[in-house]
Amino acid sequence: MRTIFNIILTEPMKFPINSGNSLTLHDALAQRSQFNGYLGAQDLKFMSMTEPVRRQEVFTLSQPGGHPRNWNNLLEKCLSIINDYSKELDAVNGDGKASEADISTIRNKNVKNVPNGNGFTYSGNLRNMAQSPQLQELKEHKNENDTLVNMLKEEFNVFVHKLCQKPPLSYLFGELTDTKLKFLLMQAQPVMWTCEGLACIAATSLNEDKYGVVQNDLPIIISSLTNLKQNLDKLTKPGLVPRKHILNDAFAIKMKNALISSVKRSIYKIVITFSKYIHEIPLDPDVQVALQPFLLCKEA
């Protein structure tokens, strides 16, 4: 019975590109923690590879107005999936450096919010109870108390956070890095489908996109995929992999290799398709350097 239930839940679905009544493809992609997120990513890949009629709906412009709303909505959700996953990988690779930056940001924010203590100068011929000096002093006193309480709370949270990062306490109460990495890799399947689907849509747009709505967003697509690939490289290169990032779970290792292959395949798809025009695409210098092995077909 459980097998039948799983088969029914994982049956491929086709989501409409644009609809006012039913769940659209970009709305399904937004539900990442539910079955619809997986089914939406799967539908995106199948649609990008085998369904030119639905791809034309992505490339069409809205009437009236002539705006590529279907493409913009789809691109926003796809980039959100890719960039969020890339940030989570970067946080795992950073080993707590991001949290230290967040702590300093919180402290600086609290310091900036401290009142300067300058008194309120009241002037005027008529009596104004809303702006009287006594009422203003009461408000300032209340604000100072609230700010002091917030600062004490934040300092206590910072102290607890640093205390929990100590090796014995971190092992007992913290979240282990290899566990977080395994969890991220277990969630990689919709990311793979999203990368490949987005790359296929970008590649087919060279011949099918009559209005050029996709070409305007090629730089951000390539940059997002390249950034994800660089964060994945930190998990594989011997000089960049900390000892605690070494995986012992067979399924997690398979998912990591599959994700790396999927991202590389997506970048190859775009780079080879636009190889004649790749130097005309406005990209950052570091992204251009990262694309050179793909242009020379030397990225294994």
Side-chain angles (χ1 to χ4, degrees):
M1 190 67 183
R2 182 178 178 181
T3 304
I4 297 175
F5 184 69
N6 290 334
I7 292 173
I8 294 174
L9 282 179
T10 55
E11 182 182 2
M13 292 181 60
K14 289 186 178 181
F15 297 93
I17 304 299
N18 187 15
S19 175
N21 300 324
S22 57
L23 186 69
T24 58
L25 180 57
H26 65 270
D27 289 332
L29 289 172
Q31 301 177 5
R32 279 177 270 177
S33 60
Q34 303 177 15
F35 279 109
N36 288 335
Y38 281 79
L39 296 176
Q42 186 184 44
D43 182 39
L44 173 67
K45 180 183 177 181
F46 291 160
M47 180 266 293
S48 64
M49 298 176 65
T50 61
E51 300 183 22
V53 177
R54 295 180 68 200
R55 288 199 301 266
Q56 284 300 321
E57 295 184 42
V58 177
F59 301 141
T60 55
L61 302 178
S62 63
Q63 297 296 333
H67 300 290
R69 289 177 182 160
N70 294 339
W71 165 247
N72 289 339
N73 292 332
L74 188 62
L75 178 66
E76 179 185 359
K77 303 305 178 185
C78 292
L79 291 180
S80 177
I81 293 173
I82 296 172
N83 292 333
D84 289 348
Y85 194 84
S86 183
K87 288 178 182 178
E88 291 176 351
L89 281 177
D90 192 27
V92 172
N93 291 326
D95 290 334
K97 294 179 182 177
S99 60
E100 292 292 335
D102 293 339
I103 290 173
S104 61
T105 303
I106 292 173
R107 284 179 170 171
N108 293 333
K109 182 179 178 182
N110 288 331
V111 170
K112 290 179 181 178
N113 290 334
V114 175
N116 55 11
N118 294 332
F120 175 78
T121 57
Y122 173 74
S123 62
N125 297 326
L126 298 177
R127 185 181 181 189
N128 190 342
M129 295 299 294
Q131 296 181 354
S132 64
Q134 292 81 6
L135 182 60
Q136 189 66 26
E137 289 178 3
L138 290 175
K139 289 182 179 179
E140 289 182 358
H141 183 67
K142 184 177 182 299
N143 291 335
E144 289 178 0
N145 291 337
D146 293 341
T147 304
L148 182 60
V149 171
N150 291 333
M151 288 184 63
L152 292 176
K153 287 182 180 179
E154 294 297 340
E155 288 295 332
F156 179 75
N157 292 335
V158 169
F159 172 75
V160 172
H161 181 76
K162 284 189 173 183
L163 187 63
C164 291
Q165 285 184 338
K166 300 297 181 181
L169 295 178
S170 177
Y171 183 80
L172 293 175
F173 303 104
E175 191 175 18
L176 299 179
T177 305
D178 57 344
T179 305
K180 291 193 293 185
L181 182 57
K182 287 180 184 179
F183 176 77
L184 279 178
L185 293 174
M186 297 295 182
Q187 311 298 319
Q189 185 61 67
V191 180
M192 290 188 278
W193 285 334
T194 303
C195 291
E196 294 181 15
L198 190 61
C200 287
I201 291 178
T204 56
S205 69
L206 185 62
N207 298 321
E208 298 180 4
D209 184 8
K210 298 183 294 184
Y211 305 104
V213 298
V214 176
Q215 279 75 25
N216 292 329
D217 297 312
L218 278 178
I220 190 172
I221 295 174
I222 296 175
S223 299
S224 298
L225 292 174
T226 304
N227 187 30
L228 178 57
K229 188 254 180 189
Q230 290 173 346
N231 284 324
L232 288 170
D233 285 343
K234 296 178 183 178
L235 302 177
T236 57
K237 292 184 178 180
L240 298 177
V241 182
R243 184 172 296 275
K244 58 184 176 181
H245 285 188
I246 298 176
L247 295 173
N248 297 320
D249 188 271
F251 183 72
I253 294 174
K254 289 181 180 179
M255 291 299 294
K256 181 188 72 173
N257 295 332
L259 178 59
I260 293 173
S261 299
S262 176
V263 174
K264 289 182 179 180
R265 189 161 53 247
S266 302
I267 298 176
Y268 263 124
K269 186 78 173 177
I270 297 176
V271 169
I272 292 177
T273 303
F274 294 94
S275 58
K276 296 181 180 179
Y277 321 102
I278 197 69
H279 297 292
E280 300 177 8
I281 300 176
L283 298 170
D284 293 335
D286 55 343
V287 177
Q288 294 178 357
V289 172
L291 291 182
Q292 289 304 314
F294 292 94
L295 287 170
L296 301 175
C297 296
K298 292 183 178 180
E299 183 68 35

